[in-house]
PDB file of all heavy atoms in Angstrom:
ATOM      1  N   SER R 668      25.110  64.157   4.246  1.00  0.00           N
ATOM      2  CA  SER R 668      24.738  64.891   3.027  1.00  0.00           C
ATOM      3  C   SER R 668      23.745  64.119   2.164  1.00  0.00           C
ATOM      4  O   SER R 668      23.688  64.309   0.951  1.00  0.00           O
ATOM      5  CB  SER R 668      25.983  65.255   2.186  1.00  0.00           C
ATOM      6  OG  SER R 668      26.889  66.018   2.944  1.00  0.00           O
ATOM      7  N   GLU R 669      22.935  63.233   2.755  1.00  0.00           N
ATOM      8  CA  GLU R 669      21.943  62.467   2.015  1.00  0.00           C
ATOM      9  C   GLU R 669      20.543  62.754   2.517  1.00  0.00           C
ATOM     10  O   GLU R 669      20.330  62.991   3.711  1.00  0.00           O
ATOM     11  CB  GLU R 669      22.195  60.951   2.132  1.00  0.00           C
ATOM     12  CG  GLU R 669      23.389  60.465   1.351  1.00  0.00           C
ATOM     13  CD  GLU R 669      23.534  58.956   1.434  1.00  0.00           C
ATOM     14  OE1 GLU R 669      22.814  58.326   2.265  1.00  0.00           O
ATOM     15  OE2 GLU R 669      24.373  58.393   0.694  1.00  0.00           O
ATOM     16  N   LEU R 670      19.595  62.745   1.545  1.00  0.00           N
ATOM     17  CA  LEU R 670      18.175  62.809   1.860  1.00  0.00           C
ATOM     18  C   LEU R 670      17.568  61.498   1.348  1.00  0.00           C
ATOM     19  O   LEU R 670      17.561  61.243   0.143  1.00  0.00           O
ATOM     20  CB  LEU R 670      17.506  64.008   1.192  1.00  0.00           C
ATOM     21  CG  LEU R 670      15.981  64.091   1.364  1.00  0.00           C
ATOM     22  CD1 LEU R 670      15.605  64.296   2.827  1.00  0.00           C
ATOM     23  CD2 LEU R 670      15.406  65.209   0.502  1.00  0.00           C
ATOM     24  N   VAL R 671      17.092  60.631   2.263  1.00  0.00           N
ATOM     25  CA  VAL R 671      16.550  59.318   1.915  1.00  0.00           C
ATOM     26  C   VAL R 671      15.027  59.407   1.935  1.00  0.00           C
ATOM     27  O   VAL R 671      14.428  59.816   2.933  1.00  0.00           O
ATOM     28  CB  VAL R 671      17.043  58.236   2.890  1.00  0.00           C
ATOM     29  CG1 VAL R 671      16.446  56.882   2.511  1.00  0.00           C
ATOM     30  CG2 VAL R 671      18.569  58.171   2.879  1.00  0.00           C
ATOM     31  N   ILE R 672      14.377  58.981   0.806  1.00  0.00           N
ATOM     32  CA  ILE R 672      12.910  59.030   0.667  1.00  0.00           C
ATOM     33  C   ILE R 672      12.432  57.617   0.327  1.00  0.00           C
ATOM     34  O   ILE R 672      12.950  56.984  -0.596  1.00  0.00           O
ATOM     35  CB  ILE R 672      12.493  60.016  -0.440  1.00  0.00           C
ATOM     36  CG1 ILE R 672      13.078  61.420  -0.149  1.00  0.00           C
ATOM     37  CG2 ILE R 672      10.975  60.071  -0.567  1.00  0.00           C
ATOM     38  CD1 ILE R 672      12.940  62.380  -1.310  1.00  0.00           C
ATOM     39  N   THR R 673      11.435  57.097   1.038  1.00  0.00           N
ATOM     40  CA  THR R 673      10.884  55.755   0.795  1.00  0.00           C
ATOM     41  C   THR R 673       9.379  55.833   0.617  1.00  0.00           C
ATOM     42  O   THR R 673       8.731  56.788   1.040  1.00  0.00           O
ATOM     43  CB  THR R 673      11.216  54.804   1.962  1.00  0.00           C
ATOM     44  OG1 THR R 673      10.604  55.299   3.152  1.00  0.00           O
ATOM     45  CG2 THR R 673      12.710  54.684   2.176  1.00  0.00           C
ATOM     46  N   TRP R 674       8.791  54.768  -0.042  1.00  0.00           N
ATOM     47  CA  TRP R 674       7.344  54.691  -0.247  1.00  0.00           C
ATOM     48  C   TRP R 674       6.943  53.226  -0.471  1.00  0.00           C
ATOM     49  O   TRP R 674       7.789  52.349  -0.589  1.00  0.00           O
ATOM     50  CB  TRP R 674       6.921  55.551  -1.451  1.00  0.00           C
ATOM     51  CG  TRP R 674       7.602  55.148  -2.738  1.00  0.00           C
ATOM     52  CD1 TRP R 674       7.206  54.216  -3.621  1.00  0.00           C
ATOM     53  CD2 TRP R 674       8.852  55.659  -3.227  1.00  0.00           C
ATOM     54  NE1 TRP R 674       8.094  54.110  -4.662  1.00  0.00           N
ATOM     55  CE2 TRP R 674       9.117  54.997  -4.444  1.00  0.00           C
ATOM     56  CE3 TRP R 674       9.760  56.632  -2.758  1.00  0.00           C
ATOM     57  CZ2 TRP R 674      10.253  55.261  -5.188  1.00  0.00           C
ATOM     58  CZ3 TRP R 674      10.880  56.889  -3.506  1.00  0.00           C
ATOM     59  CH2 TRP R 674      11.129  56.201  -4.716  1.00  0.00           C
ATOM     60  N   GLU R 675       5.662  52.992  -0.562  1.00  0.00           N
ATOM     61  CA  GLU R 675       5.144  51.634  -0.768  1.00  0.00           C
ATOM     62  C   GLU R 675       5.023  51.350  -2.262  1.00  0.00           C
ATOM     63  O   GLU R 675       4.568  52.192  -3.032  1.00  0.00           O
ATOM     64  CB  GLU R 675       3.777  51.480  -0.093  1.00  0.00           C
ATOM     65  CG  GLU R 675       3.284  50.047  -0.034  1.00  0.00           C
ATOM     66  CD  GLU R 675       1.987  49.928   0.732  1.00  0.00           C
ATOM     67  OE1 GLU R 675       0.942  50.271   0.148  1.00  0.00           O
ATOM     68  OE2 GLU R 675       1.999  49.506   1.907  1.00  0.00           O
ATOM     69  N   LEU R 676       5.379  50.122  -2.671  1.00  0.00           N
ATOM     70  CA  LEU R 676       5.397  49.752  -4.090  1.00  0.00           C
ATOM     71  C   LEU R 676       4.000  49.747  -4.705  1.00  0.00           C
ATOM     72  O   LEU R 676       3.015  49.413  -4.058  1.00  0.00           O
ATOM     73  CB  LEU R 676       6.007  48.359  -4.266  1.00  0.00           C
ATOM     74  CG  LEU R 676       7.530  48.241  -4.152  1.00  0.00           C
ATOM     75  CD1 LEU R 676       7.914  46.780  -4.189  1.00  0.00           C
ATOM     76  CD2 LEU R 676       8.205  48.986  -5.292  1.00  0.00           C
ATOM     77  N   GLN R 677       3.959  50.141  -6.006  1.00  0.00           N
ATOM     78  CA  GLN R 677       2.810  49.884  -6.863  1.00  0.00           C
ATOM     79  C   GLN R 677       3.330  49.167  -8.103  1.00  0.00           C
ATOM     80  O   GLN R 677       4.531  48.899  -8.235  1.00  0.00           O
ATOM     81  CB  GLN R 677       2.101  51.188  -7.235  1.00  0.00           C
ATOM     82  CG  GLN R 677       1.425  51.858  -6.041  1.00  0.00           C
ATOM     83  CD  GLN R 677       0.537  53.020  -6.464  1.00  0.00           C
ATOM     84  OE1 GLN R 677       0.293  53.207  -7.632  1.00  0.00           O
ATOM     85  NE2 GLN R 677       0.070  53.788  -5.493  1.00  0.00           N
ATOM     86  N   CYS R 678       2.415  48.760  -9.007  1.00  0.00           N
ATOM     87  CA  CYS R 678       2.885  48.014 -10.168  1.00  0.00           C
ATOM     88  C   CYS R 678       2.020  48.323 -11.380  1.00  0.00           C
ATOM     89  O   CYS R 678       0.913  48.838 -11.254  1.00  0.00           O
ATOM     90  CB  CYS R 678       2.888  46.508  -9.888  1.00  0.00           C
ATOM     91  SG  CYS R 678       1.270  45.859  -9.471  1.00  0.00           S
ATOM     92  N   GLY R 679       2.536  47.935 -12.554  1.00  0.00           N
ATOM     93  CA  GLY R 679       1.828  48.140 -13.802  1.00  0.00           C
ATOM     94  C   GLY R 679       2.815  48.205 -14.943  1.00  0.00           C
ATOM     95  O   GLY R 679       4.024  48.374 -14.741  1.00  0.00           O
ATOM     96  N   PRO R 680       2.334  48.042 -16.179  1.00  0.00           N
ATOM     97  CA  PRO R 680       3.252  48.105 -17.325  1.00  0.00           C
ATOM     98  C   PRO R 680       3.754  49.530 -17.529  1.00  0.00           C
ATOM     99  O   PRO R 680       2.987  50.485 -17.503  1.00  0.00           O
ATOM    100  CB  PRO R 680       2.380  47.641 -18.492  1.00  0.00           C
ATOM    101  CG  PRO R 680       0.984  47.941 -18.069  1.00  0.00           C
ATOM    102  CD  PRO R 680       0.945  47.794 -16.590  1.00  0.00           C
ATOM    103  N   GLY R 681       5.081  49.658 -17.739  1.00  0.00           N
ATOM    104  CA  GLY R 681       5.676  50.978 -17.947  1.00  0.00           C
ATOM    105  C   GLY R 681       5.538  51.872 -16.727  1.00  0.00           C
ATOM    106  O   GLY R 681       5.461  53.091 -16.860  1.00  0.00           O
ATOM    107  N   PHE R 682       5.487  51.257 -15.531  1.00  0.00           N
ATOM    108  CA  PHE R 682       5.211  52.021 -14.318  1.00  0.00           C
ATOM    109  C   PHE R 682       6.491  52.630 -13.778  1.00  0.00           C
ATOM    110  O   PHE R 682       7.579  52.048 -13.878  1.00  0.00           O
ATOM    111  CB  PHE R 682       4.588  51.095 -13.271  1.00  0.00           C
ATOM    112  CG  PHE R 682       3.858  51.813 -12.174  1.00  0.00           C
ATOM    113  CD1 PHE R 682       2.535  52.184 -12.330  1.00  0.00           C
ATOM    114  CD2 PHE R 682       4.506  52.137 -10.993  1.00  0.00           C
ATOM    115  CE1 PHE R 682       1.872  52.831 -11.317  1.00  0.00           C
ATOM    116  CE2 PHE R 682       3.851  52.792  -9.984  1.00  0.00           C
ATOM    117  CZ  PHE R 682       2.524  53.144 -10.136  1.00  0.00           C
ATOM    118  N   GLY R 683       6.403  53.819 -13.182  1.00  0.00           N
ATOM    119  CA  GLY R 683       7.525  54.493 -12.554  1.00  0.00           C
ATOM    120  C   GLY R 683       7.050  55.522 -11.538  1.00  0.00           C
ATOM    121  O   GLY R 683       5.846  55.712 -11.335  1.00  0.00           O
ATOM    122  N   TYR R 684       8.008  56.218 -10.902  1.00  0.00           N
ATOM    123  CA  TYR R 684       7.697  57.170  -9.831  1.00  0.00           C
ATOM    124  C   TYR R 684       8.380  58.511 -10.128  1.00  0.00           C
ATOM    125  O   TYR R 684       9.464  58.565 -10.732  1.00  0.00           O
ATOM    126  CB  TYR R 684       8.185  56.650  -8.483  1.00  0.00           C
ATOM    127  CG  TYR R 684       7.623  55.287  -8.124  1.00  0.00           C
ATOM    128  CD1 TYR R 684       8.323  54.121  -8.457  1.00  0.00           C
ATOM    129  CD2 TYR R 684       6.397  55.171  -7.471  1.00  0.00           C
ATOM    130  CE1 TYR R 684       7.817  52.873  -8.142  1.00  0.00           C
ATOM    131  CE2 TYR R 684       5.886  53.921  -7.153  1.00  0.00           C
ATOM    132  CZ  TYR R 684       6.592  52.781  -7.491  1.00  0.00           C
ATOM    133  OH  TYR R 684       6.083  51.553  -7.178  1.00  0.00           O
TER     134      TYR R 684
END
Side-chain angles (χ1 to χ4, degrees):
S668 302
E669 288 184 350
L670 175 65
V671 179
I672 304 169
T673 62
W674 58 87
E675 191 176 78
L676 284 173
Q677 292 189 10
C678 60
F682 199 86
Y684 303 92

